[in-house]
Amino acid sequence: QVQLVESGGGLVQAGGSLRLSCAASGSIFSINGMGWYRQAPGKQRELVAAISSGGSTNYADSVKGRFTLSRDNTKNTVYLQMNSLKPEDTAVYYCNARAVVANITERATLDAWGQGTLVTVSS
């Protein structure tokens, strides 16, 4: 019902920058919020940054001041600008969207997840 297309992951050296993007598509009635989670080996998935439909943002303490989340509601797309990257930022980053979807019979609210994009920061 909802597909999330992620891009922008890759390999960078410490101090470098990457920009992740995530575009939602499908039978979407509205998007309540979008954001990024990440999961490093041996650790649970954690919130990196999220933005509500009203524009409120929430960042993990570990990325505040370095990462910036922006949105384009018209395109149902979010962007995560990651600056001053550190080796501890290395993880698989997953896009998330809380969307109201519609089909022929009903509307429902669900969380959609992207396939994940790998960010590797070398020292």
Side-chain angles (χ1 to χ4, degrees), residues 46-47 95 108 111:
E46 65 175 349
L47 175 69
C95 182
D111 286 325

Side-chain angles (χ1 to χ4, degrees), residues 37-41 45 89-94 115-119:
Y37 289 71
R38 68 186 181 187
Q39 187 167 24
R45 189 173 299 185
D89 294 319
T90 296
V92 177
Y93 285 68
Y94 297 91
Q115 293 294 109
T117 184
L118 178 63
V119 172

Side-chain angles (χ1 to χ4, degrees), residues 71-77:
R71 64 171 182 168
D72 184 340
N73 287 337
T74 301
K75 299 179 179 179
N76 289 331
T77 300

Side-chain angles (χ1 to χ4, degrees), residues 1 4 8 12 20 29 33 37 49 65 78-81 92 96 102 119:
Q1 300 180 60
L4 302 179
V12 297
L20 306 182
F29 181 79
Y37 289 71
V78 292
Y79 307 91
L80 185 66
Q81 180 66 46
V92 177
N96 168 261
V119 172

Side-chain angles (χ1 to χ4, degrees), residues 18-33:
L18 284 174
R19 188 190 189 213
L20 306 182
S21 65
C22 175
S25 62
S27 300
I28 301 172
F29 181 79
S30 63
I31 298 289
N32 293 336

Side-chain angles (χ1 to χ4, degrees), residues 50-58 71:
I51 188 167
S52 72
S53 60
S56 298
T57 55
N58 183 33
R71 64 171 182 168

Side-chain angles (χ1 to χ4, degrees), residues 36 47-52 55-61 63-64 69:
W36 291 92
L47 175 69
V48 178
I51 188 167
S52 72
S56 298
T57 55
N58 183 33
Y59 295 92
D61 289 341
V63 306
K64 287 181 179 177
L69 185 65

